[in-house]
Amino acid sequence: WSRHAVCIRLNREWVAVDKFSLPTPTNAEQWYVEDPFDLRHNLAGKCTPAARRRMLATMRESHKALLATGDWAAACPVRAEGPFLLRC
């Protein structure tokens, strides 16, 4: 996350996208998720440290479940609660 970006436009298998090569200025602490419809917009540009910790914790839990069971349903369970809002 400190050097690479999520970028659908430049995505290639086994190739990481250098976030400092993209149009919007950034820093090492900031996540970079390029908006595929507005290349100058970093969708994660205002993501707080607390939100990044929550997302990383959830990704780690899913990874652990996949390693243990190989079951995508266990890694990404359907939640019964109402609508969700991802707030950064």
Side-chain angles (χ1 to χ4, degrees):
W1 292 102
S2 64
R3 295 187 337 251
H4 303 114
V6 175
C7 180
I8 294 169
R9 175 178 60 91
L10 299 174
N11 182 47
R12 302 289 179 272
E13 191 172 356
W14 302 109
V15 176
V17 176
D18 178 1
K19 71 181 184 180
F20 299 105
S21 70
L22 298 174
T24 303
T26 189
N27 60 60
E29 293 80 31
Q30 188 177 48
W31 283 4
Y32 200 119
V33 179
E34 184 182 72
D35 184 336
F37 303 103
D38 180 358
L39 303 183
R40 295 199 168 275
H41 183 208
N42 176 4
L43 294 169
K46 294 185 180 181
C47 193
T48 66
R52 290 193 298 266
R53 284 191 300 272
R54 283 192 305 271
M55 285 187 266
L56 285 172
T58 302
M59 287 188 255
R60 286 184 184 110
E61 288 174 23
S62 296
H63 183 250
K64 185 177 176 180
L66 280 173
L67 288 176
T69 67
D71 181 10
W72 279 95
C76 305
V78 175
R79 308 268 187 218
E81 301 95 44
F84 297 95
L85 173 66
L86 179 60
R87 183 169 182 237
C88 285

XYZ file of all heavy atoms in Angstrom:
705
model
N 0.809 -1.197 0.000
C 0.000 0.000 0.000
C 0.852 1.261 0.000
O 0.407 2.305 -0.443
C -0.947 0.017 1.203
C -1.998 -1.025 1.136
C -2.020 -2.214 1.814
C -3.192 -1.017 0.343
N -3.153 -2.923 1.490
C -3.895 -2.215 0.592
C -3.735 -0.107 -0.556
C -5.116 -2.514 -0.010
C -4.947 -0.403 -1.167
C -5.615 -1.596 -0.879
N 2.072 1.190 0.510
C 2.893 2.395 0.575
C 3.485 2.785 -0.773
O 3.820 3.932 -0.993
C 4.013 2.223 1.599
O 4.889 1.188 1.200
N 3.600 1.821 -1.703
C 4.209 2.111 -3.007
C 3.295 1.819 -4.198
O 3.567 2.271 -5.301
C 5.485 1.280 -3.175
C 6.567 1.640 -2.197
C 7.886 0.933 -2.482
N 7.803 -0.288 -3.241
C 8.024 -1.513 -2.734
N 8.329 -1.664 -1.473
N 7.935 -2.563 -3.505
N 2.242 1.045 -3.984
C 1.432 0.570 -5.110
C -0.014 1.037 -5.025
O -0.505 1.371 -3.949
C 1.494 -0.952 -5.179
C 2.901 -1.447 -5.303
N 3.503 -2.170 -4.324
C 3.819 -1.273 -6.272
C 4.742 -2.442 -4.671
N 4.965 -1.904 -5.855
N -0.666 1.025 -6.167
C -2.053 1.477 -6.268
C -2.946 0.369 -6.816
O -2.480 -0.560 -7.466
C -2.131 2.679 -7.207
N -4.232 0.519 -6.557
C -5.246 -0.295 -7.218
C -5.637 0.489 -8.461
O -6.102 1.624 -8.374
C -6.476 -0.519 -6.312
C -7.565 -1.263 -7.065
C -6.071 -1.236 -5.038
N -5.410 -0.107 -9.622
C -5.629 0.612 -10.878
C -6.085 -0.389 -11.940
O -5.274 -1.105 -12.523
C -4.328 1.301 -11.286
S -4.467 2.218 -12.818
N -7.382 -0.414 -12.192
C -7.945 -1.340 -13.178
C -7.381 -1.062 -14.565
O -7.063 -1.976 -15.316
C -9.486 -1.240 -13.180
C -10.037 -1.728 -11.841
C -10.080 -2.022 -14.339
C -11.497 -1.440 -11.639
N -7.185 0.192 -14.878
C -6.730 0.605 -16.201
C -5.356 0.028 -16.551
O -5.116 -0.395 -17.681
C -6.696 2.143 -16.227
C -6.149 2.788 -17.448
C -6.248 4.300 -17.310
N -5.512 4.833 -16.187
C -4.244 5.251 -16.249
N -3.594 5.207 -17.393
N -3.654 5.736 -15.182
N -4.441 -0.011 -15.598
C -3.077 -0.476 -15.851
C -2.815 -1.882 -15.324
O -1.679 -2.345 -15.333
C -2.075 0.500 -15.222
C -2.129 1.927 -15.747
C -1.188 2.821 -14.951
C -1.807 1.976 -17.229
N -3.854 -2.543 -14.852
C -3.697 -3.861 -14.247
C -3.124 -4.880 -15.235
O -3.566 -4.988 -16.375
C -5.055 -4.357 -13.737
C -4.943 -5.696 -13.061
O -4.064 -5.890 -12.239
N -5.824 -6.602 -13.412
N -2.107 -5.592 -14.783
C -1.508 -6.706 -15.526
C -1.172 -7.790 -14.519
O -0.818 -7.510 -13.375
C -0.208 -6.291 -16.242
C -0.331 -5.147 -17.221
C -1.090 -5.554 -18.481
N -1.221 -4.459 -19.402
C -2.199 -3.572 -19.398
N -3.130 -3.618 -18.504
N -2.249 -2.612 -20.299
N -1.216 -9.020 -14.932
C -0.898 -10.124 -14.039
C 0.544 -10.021 -13.550
O 1.472 -9.833 -14.337
C -1.124 -11.453 -14.768
C -1.065 -12.643 -13.852
C -1.481 -13.920 -14.545
O -1.885 -13.876 -15.723
O -1.397 -14.967 -13.904
N 0.724 -10.130 -12.254
C 2.031 -10.116 -11.581
C 2.789 -8.792 -11.719
O 3.999 -8.747 -11.551
C 2.908 -11.273 -12.039
C 2.263 -12.598 -11.795
C 1.769 -13.430 -12.765
C 1.984 -13.228 -10.546
N 1.214 -14.537 -12.181
C 1.342 -14.431 -10.809
C 2.220 -12.880 -9.219
C 0.924 -15.299 -9.805
C 1.803 -13.747 -8.229
C 1.174 -14.932 -8.523
N 2.088 -7.705 -12.048
C 2.736 -6.398 -12.159
C 2.025 -5.428 -11.215
O 0.822 -5.230 -11.316
C 2.669 -5.859 -13.613
C 3.247 -4.459 -13.695
C 3.387 -6.804 -14.556
N 2.778 -4.828 -10.318
C 2.224 -3.840 -9.395
C 2.286 -2.454 -10.045
O 3.228 -2.143 -10.759
C 3.010 -3.848 -8.094
N 1.286 -1.644 -9.781
C 1.230 -0.284 -10.323
C 1.826 0.678 -9.296
O 1.361 0.748 -8.153
C -0.227 0.118 -10.654
C -0.298 1.556 -11.118
C -0.818 -0.827 -11.689
N 2.850 1.409 -9.699
C 3.489 2.403 -8.843
C 2.547 3.589 -8.673
O 2.222 4.279 -9.641
C 4.809 2.847 -9.477
C 5.527 3.922 -8.689
O 5.031 4.349 -7.621
O 6.597 4.349 -9.147
N 2.100 3.832 -7.447
C 1.118 4.903 -7.238
C 1.700 6.294 -7.489
O 0.972 7.225 -7.790
C 0.512 4.817 -5.841
C 1.410 5.172 -4.693
C 0.622 4.999 -3.400
C 1.406 5.414 -2.186
N 0.587 5.232 -0.985
N 3.007 6.425 -7.410
C 3.626 7.729 -7.645
C 3.737 8.054 -9.137
O 4.071 9.171 -9.506
C 4.989 7.802 -6.959
C 4.881 7.628 -5.470
C 5.252 6.442 -4.865
C 4.360 8.641 -4.680
C 5.132 6.273 -3.497
C 4.230 8.483 -3.304
C 4.621 7.295 -2.714
N 3.419 7.078 -9.996
C 3.429 7.318 -11.435
C 2.058 7.766 -11.950
O 1.928 8.126 -13.113
C 3.850 6.047 -12.179
O 2.827 5.060 -12.095
N 1.048 7.758 -11.094
C -0.308 8.113 -11.490
C -0.518 9.623 -11.382
O 0.251 10.326 -10.720
C -1.308 7.337 -10.638
C -1.213 5.812 -10.820
C -2.141 5.094 -9.845
C -1.529 5.404 -12.240
N -1.569 10.160 -12.031
C -1.746 11.608 -12.157
C -1.917 12.390 -10.856
O -1.473 13.522 -10.760
C -3.008 11.760 -13.014
C -3.208 10.463 -13.681
C -2.581 9.431 -12.802
N -2.564 11.799 -9.857
C -2.857 12.544 -8.634
C -1.711 12.415 -7.635
O -1.308 11.302 -7.310
C -4.164 12.027 -8.000
O -5.214 12.138 -8.956
C -4.535 12.820 -6.767
N -1.191 13.535 -7.135
C -0.120 13.464 -6.136
C -0.573 12.707 -4.890
O -1.729 12.790 -4.483
C 0.151 14.933 -5.799
C -0.415 15.708 -6.929
C -1.555 14.899 -7.469
N 0.335 11.971 -4.285
C 0.016 11.180 -3.105
C 1.243 11.091 -2.213
O 2.288 11.648 -2.514
C -0.501 9.782 -3.518
O -1.006 9.122 -2.365
C 0.579 8.951 -4.181
N 1.109 10.380 -1.104
C 2.248 10.130 -0.225
C 2.238 8.667 0.195
O 1.284 7.936 -0.086
C 2.219 11.071 0.988
C 0.974 10.902 1.817
O 0.697 9.815 2.334
N 0.189 11.964 1.958
N 3.267 8.234 0.884
C 3.412 6.813 1.223
C 2.308 6.315 2.152
O 1.912 5.157 2.076
C 4.779 6.562 1.846
N 1.799 7.177 3.025
C 0.770 6.744 3.980
C -0.619 6.613 3.354
O -1.462 5.888 3.854
C 0.686 7.722 5.167
C 1.904 7.725 6.050
C 3.045 8.546 5.466
O 2.781 9.538 4.760
O 4.207 8.159 5.683
N -0.843 7.325 2.284
C -2.166 7.376 1.665
C -2.371 6.204 0.711
O -1.508 5.883 -0.083
C -2.284 8.692 0.898
C -3.637 9.001 0.361
C -3.623 10.366 -0.309
O -2.741 10.665 -1.100
N -4.599 11.194 0.011
N -3.528 5.552 0.815
C -3.868 4.514 -0.156
C -4.255 5.184 -1.462
O -4.739 6.316 -1.489
C -5.032 3.671 0.339
C -4.655 2.676 1.392
C -3.440 2.511 1.980
C -5.516 1.717 1.975
N -3.501 1.502 2.899
C -4.758 0.995 2.912
C -6.841 1.386 1.805
C -5.298 -0.047 3.664
C -7.383 0.365 2.557
C -6.619 -0.355 3.469
N -4.079 4.461 -2.560
C -4.417 5.009 -3.873
C -5.267 3.988 -4.620
O -4.807 2.903 -4.935
C -3.142 5.314 -4.671
C -3.334 6.293 -5.812
C -2.657 7.494 -5.841
C -4.190 6.004 -6.864
C -2.821 8.385 -6.890
C -4.364 6.897 -7.910
C -3.678 8.083 -7.912
O -3.847 8.972 -8.946
N -6.516 4.346 -4.885
C -7.430 3.533 -5.692
C -7.916 4.447 -6.815
O -8.728 5.348 -6.588
C -8.624 3.004 -4.864
C -9.567 2.194 -5.741
C -8.134 2.185 -3.673
N -7.391 4.223 -8.004
C -7.729 5.109 -9.125
C -9.178 4.917 -9.560
O -9.637 3.799 -9.747
C -6.805 4.832 -10.312
C -7.046 5.785 -11.465
C -6.168 5.474 -12.654
O -6.413 4.458 -13.324
O -5.242 6.247 -12.912
N -9.879 6.027 -9.709
C -11.243 6.019 -10.231
C -11.153 5.729 -11.735
O -10.539 6.498 -12.470
C -11.880 7.382 -9.983
C -13.335 7.469 -10.407
O -13.764 6.691 -11.282
O -14.044 8.332 -9.863
N -11.750 4.635 -12.206
C -11.627 4.304 -13.638
C -12.350 5.289 -14.559
O -12.091 5.314 -15.756
C -12.233 2.900 -13.742
C -13.093 2.753 -12.548
C -12.507 3.630 -11.473
N -13.239 6.122 -14.001
C -13.983 7.073 -14.811
C -13.420 8.496 -14.723
O -13.764 9.349 -15.534
C -15.463 7.066 -14.409
C -16.075 5.699 -14.531
C -16.299 4.935 -13.395
C -16.369 5.156 -15.770
C -16.847 3.662 -13.507
C -16.902 3.882 -15.889
C -17.140 3.141 -14.747
N -12.590 8.736 -13.724
C -11.955 10.044 -13.544
C -10.532 9.775 -13.070
O -10.280 9.614 -11.874
C -12.731 10.872 -12.518
C -12.119 12.240 -12.275
O -11.056 12.558 -12.879
O -12.678 12.998 -11.460
N -9.596 9.723 -13.995
C -8.236 9.289 -13.694
C -7.498 10.199 -12.723
O -6.491 9.809 -12.144
C -7.436 9.132 -14.987
C -8.041 8.176 -16.018
C -7.131 8.058 -17.218
C -8.347 6.821 -15.411
N -8.004 11.389 -12.497
C -7.361 12.300 -11.549
C -7.978 12.204 -10.154
O -7.651 12.986 -9.260
C -7.430 13.740 -12.050
C -6.639 13.926 -13.326
C -6.317 15.378 -13.560
N -5.338 15.534 -14.620
C -4.027 15.464 -14.465
N -3.530 15.227 -13.278
N -3.217 15.623 -15.474
N -8.860 11.225 -9.948
C -9.537 11.067 -8.660
C -9.038 9.809 -7.957
O -9.162 8.708 -8.475
C -11.047 10.983 -8.873
C -11.831 10.886 -7.617
N -13.047 10.272 -7.565
C -11.577 11.311 -6.356
C -13.516 10.330 -6.339
N -12.629 10.957 -5.584
N -8.486 9.984 -6.767
C -8.072 8.874 -5.926
C -9.232 8.544 -5.000
O -9.533 9.304 -4.077
C -6.824 9.255 -5.129
C -6.397 8.177 -4.153
O -6.976 7.100 -4.102
N -5.379 8.467 -3.374
N -9.882 7.416 -5.222
C -11.060 7.052 -4.431
C -10.732 6.830 -2.955
O -11.616 6.937 -2.106
C -11.716 5.794 -5.008
C -12.319 5.958 -6.406
C -12.699 4.603 -6.982
C -13.518 6.883 -6.359
N -9.493 6.531 -2.644
C -9.090 6.304 -1.252
C -8.316 7.488 -0.683
O -7.720 7.386 0.384
C -8.240 5.044 -1.159
N -8.344 8.604 -1.364
C -7.552 9.760 -0.973
C -7.865 10.311 0.398
O -7.013 10.905 1.043
N -9.087 10.135 0.871
C -9.468 10.672 2.183
C -9.722 9.569 3.206
O -10.328 9.809 4.242
C -10.699 11.562 2.044
C -10.412 12.805 1.223
C -11.588 13.734 1.187
C -11.221 14.955 0.357
N -12.299 15.917 0.299
N -9.261 8.383 2.918
C -9.455 7.253 3.822
C -8.627 7.463 5.095
O -7.427 7.712 5.038
C -9.032 5.963 3.117
S -9.546 4.480 3.971
N -9.272 7.360 6.233
C -8.602 7.611 7.507
C -7.761 6.409 7.937
O -8.009 5.286 7.498
C -9.625 7.905 8.613
O -10.398 6.716 8.838
C -10.528 9.080 8.257
N -6.799 6.624 8.811
C -6.022 5.498 9.341
C -6.906 4.439 10.007
O -6.670 3.242 9.855
C -5.073 6.152 10.347
C -4.888 7.541 9.832
C -6.245 7.915 9.263
N -7.934 4.864 10.719
C -8.843 3.912 11.381
C -9.579 3.055 10.352
O -9.726 1.838 10.530
C -9.840 4.658 12.263
N -10.038 3.660 9.273
C -10.738 2.911 8.224
C -9.789 1.937 7.542
O -10.168 0.797 7.241
C -11.340 3.866 7.200
N -8.550 2.348 7.301
C -7.570 1.442 6.694
C -7.317 0.250 7.602
O -7.229 -0.887 7.132
C -6.273 2.196 6.381
C -6.431 3.180 5.238
C -5.106 3.696 4.725
N -4.335 4.440 5.697
C -4.348 5.756 5.834
N -5.124 6.496 5.053
N -3.588 6.350 6.727
N -7.228 0.487 8.909
C -7.032 -0.627 9.847
C -8.208 -1.593 9.812
O -8.020 -2.815 9.812
C -6.819 -0.096 11.265
C -5.439 0.480 11.493
C -5.182 0.742 12.969
N -6.122 1.697 13.566
C -5.956 3.020 13.567
N -4.882 3.557 13.009
N -6.855 3.791 14.125
N -9.446 -1.071 9.760
C -10.636 -1.932 9.709
C -10.642 -2.772 8.436
O -10.927 -3.969 8.474
C -11.914 -1.092 9.770
C -12.253 -0.573 11.140
C -13.675 -0.011 11.200
N -13.943 1.018 10.199
C -13.738 2.316 10.370
N -13.247 2.771 11.505
N -14.019 3.174 9.414
N -10.331 -2.136 7.300
C -10.334 -2.876 6.030
C -9.238 -3.935 6.002
O -9.463 -5.063 5.555
C -10.208 -1.914 4.856
C -11.493 -1.166 4.592
S -11.418 -0.184 3.091
C -10.931 1.389 3.763
N -8.044 -3.593 6.480
C -6.957 -4.573 6.515
C -7.297 -5.728 7.441
O -7.009 -6.893 7.122
C -5.649 -3.911 6.943
C -4.985 -3.046 5.890
C -3.805 -2.289 6.491
C -4.533 -3.878 4.700
N -7.918 -5.453 8.587
C -8.310 -6.519 9.509
C -9.310 -7.463 8.851
O -9.201 -8.688 8.970
C -8.891 -5.924 10.791
N -10.267 -6.913 8.118
C -11.260 -7.737 7.429
C -10.614 -8.558 6.314
O -10.933 -9.739 6.143
C -12.387 -6.845 6.865
O -12.970 -6.130 7.950
C -13.447 -7.669 6.165
N -9.683 -7.953 5.574
C -8.980 -8.706 4.529
C -8.165 -9.838 5.134
O -8.125 -10.949 4.582
C -8.085 -7.780 3.707
C -8.849 -6.881 2.765
S -7.737 -5.977 1.662
C -7.793 -4.356 2.376
N -7.537 -9.592 6.280
C -6.752 -10.644 6.947
C -7.648 -11.782 7.419
O -7.285 -12.951 7.305
C -5.964 -10.061 8.115
C -4.776 -9.255 7.664
C -3.946 -8.759 8.859
N -2.884 -7.907 8.384
C -2.825 -6.596 8.568
N -3.776 -5.977 9.254
N -1.827 -5.896 8.090
N -8.820 -11.448 7.967
C -9.776 -12.480 8.398
C -10.212 -13.336 7.216
O -10.275 -14.567 7.322
C -11.003 -11.834 9.044
C -10.759 -11.242 10.403
C -11.981 -10.500 10.922
O -13.108 -10.797 10.476
O -11.802 -9.608 11.766
N -10.516 -12.702 6.096
C -10.936 -13.448 4.905
C -9.802 -14.330 4.388
O -10.024 -15.485 4.017
C -11.390 -12.484 3.806
O -12.532 -11.783 4.223
N -8.597 -13.799 4.381
C -7.437 -14.578 3.937
C -7.225 -15.787 4.842
O -6.981 -16.902 4.367
C -6.198 -13.684 3.924
C -4.978 -14.374 3.429
N -3.932 -14.685 4.250
C -4.640 -14.845 2.196
C -2.992 -15.306 3.562
N -3.402 -15.416 2.306
N -7.331 -15.583 6.141
C -7.175 -16.676 7.103
C -8.232 -17.760 6.872
O -7.924 -18.959 6.891
C -7.280 -16.123 8.525
C -7.016 -17.120 9.609
C -7.085 -16.439 10.974
C -6.926 -17.443 12.086
N -6.999 -16.809 13.413
N -9.478 -17.341 6.626
C -10.553 -18.310 6.362
C -10.291 -19.089 5.078
O -10.513 -20.300 5.023
C -11.907 -17.596 6.287
N -9.799 -18.404 4.041
C -9.478 -19.104 2.791
C -8.346 -20.099 2.979
O -8.395 -21.220 2.444
C -9.105 -18.104 1.695
C -10.262 -17.419 0.999
C -9.735 -16.340 0.056
C -11.107 -18.417 0.239
N -7.321 -19.717 3.714
C -6.215 -20.634 3.963
C -6.671 -21.860 4.749
O -6.239 -22.981 4.476
C -5.085 -19.933 4.717
C -4.267 -18.919 3.932
C -3.260 -18.242 4.859
C -3.552 -19.585 2.770
N -7.542 -21.656 5.715
C -7.998 -22.742 6.580
C -8.972 -23.691 5.888
O -8.907 -24.900 6.082
C -8.642 -22.178 7.848
N -9.868 -23.124 5.057
C -10.948 -23.946 4.498
C -10.976 -24.000 2.982
O -11.551 -24.918 2.415
C -12.316 -23.411 4.969
O -12.531 -22.124 4.379
C -12.402 -23.316 6.480
N -10.433 -22.988 2.331
C -10.545 -22.893 0.878
C -11.949 -22.532 0.427
O -12.252 -22.529 -0.760
N -12.800 -22.210 1.372
C -14.219 -21.963 1.107
C -14.484 -20.463 1.011
O -14.370 -19.733 1.994
C -15.047 -22.583 2.234
C -16.536 -22.402 2.062
O -16.981 -21.951 0.982
O -17.270 -22.708 3.021
N -14.849 -20.004 -0.199
C -15.121 -18.582 -0.398
C -16.317 -18.113 0.415
O -16.376 -16.971 0.857
C -15.333 -18.269 -1.876
C -14.043 -18.127 -2.595
C -13.383 -19.086 -3.305
C -13.213 -16.963 -2.639
N -12.198 -18.590 -3.790
C -12.069 -17.279 -3.401
C -13.319 -15.680 -2.117
C -11.048 -16.365 -3.647
C -12.308 -14.771 -2.357
C -11.182 -15.115 -3.123
N -17.301 -18.985 0.633
C -18.473 -18.612 1.435
C -18.068 -18.342 2.882
O -18.631 -17.465 3.541
C -19.536 -19.701 1.373
N -17.066 -19.069 3.383
C -16.568 -18.829 4.735
C -15.742 -17.546 4.778
O -15.770 -16.816 5.763
C -15.727 -20.015 5.209
N -15.014 -17.274 3.713
C -14.160 -16.086 3.665
C -14.957 -14.812 3.453
O -14.575 -13.746 3.937
C -13.129 -16.235 2.557
N -16.049 -14.914 2.725
C -16.882 -13.742 2.405
C -18.334 -14.068 2.734
O -19.178 -14.203 1.834
C -16.746 -13.376 0.932
S -15.053 -13.091 0.409
N -18.661 -14.191 4.024
C -20.015 -14.612 4.389
C -21.071 -13.569 4.040
O -20.792 -12.371 4.028
C -19.922 -14.812 5.898
C -18.811 -13.920 6.329
C -17.841 -13.900 5.180
N -22.269 -14.049 3.768
C -23.401 -13.166 3.529
C -23.863 -12.652 4.883
O -24.047 -13.420 5.826
C -24.549 -13.935 2.824
C -25.780 -13.051 2.692
C -24.083 -14.430 1.473
N -24.005 -11.373 4.997
C -24.440 -10.754 6.262
C -25.944 -10.535 6.218
O -26.487 -10.068 5.225
C -23.748 -9.418 6.472
C -22.249 -9.494 6.350
C -21.622 -9.728 7.689
N -20.172 -9.624 7.543
C -19.333 -10.401 8.177
N -19.761 -11.320 8.987
N -18.041 -10.252 8.013
N -26.603 -10.854 7.310
C -28.059 -10.726 7.377
C -28.492 -9.294 7.682
O -29.619 -8.922 7.413
C -28.619 -11.673 8.434
N -27.576 -8.485 8.232
C -27.946 -7.120 8.600
C -28.303 -6.311 7.349
O -27.930 -6.671 6.251
C -26.802 -6.423 9.344
C -26.371 -7.120 10.601
C -25.186 -8.061 10.371
O -24.245 -7.677 9.677
O -25.244 -9.172 10.875
N -28.913 -5.181 7.589
C -29.385 -4.308 6.515
C -28.318 -3.728 5.628
O -27.215 -4.240 5.565
N -28.622 -2.619 4.960
C -27.704 -2.035 3.989
C -26.384 -1.619 4.642
O -26.329 -1.306 5.829
C -28.449 -0.827 3.436
C -29.516 -0.543 4.429
C -29.823 -1.823 5.132
N -25.324 -1.623 3.834
C -23.996 -1.291 4.323
C -23.507 -0.007 3.687
O -23.800 0.288 2.546
C -23.006 -2.417 4.005
C -23.351 -3.697 4.693
C -24.090 -4.661 4.044
C -22.936 -3.933 6.003
C -24.411 -5.845 4.678
C -23.248 -5.103 6.643
C -23.986 -6.070 5.981
N -22.707 0.704 4.437
C -22.061 1.910 3.937
C -20.592 1.795 4.285
O -20.240 1.612 5.453
C -22.673 3.153 4.607
C -21.981 4.473 4.314
C -22.139 4.837 2.830
C -22.550 5.560 5.190
N -19.749 1.866 3.280
C -18.311 1.843 3.514
C -17.857 3.273 3.668
O -17.928 4.067 2.736
C -17.582 1.163 2.346
C -16.067 1.101 2.459
C -15.646 0.333 3.698
C -15.484 0.463 1.224
N -17.417 3.596 4.857
C -16.991 4.965 5.132
C -15.496 4.978 5.399
O -15.017 4.270 6.256
C -17.740 5.507 6.337
C -17.396 6.939 6.635
C -18.347 7.497 7.654
N -18.007 8.885 7.874
C -17.697 9.397 9.042
N -17.705 8.633 10.109
N -17.403 10.654 9.150
N -14.798 5.785 4.655
C -13.353 5.923 4.858
C -13.082 7.115 5.705
O -12.107 7.310 6.279
C -12.630 6.045 3.520
S -12.521 4.477 2.665
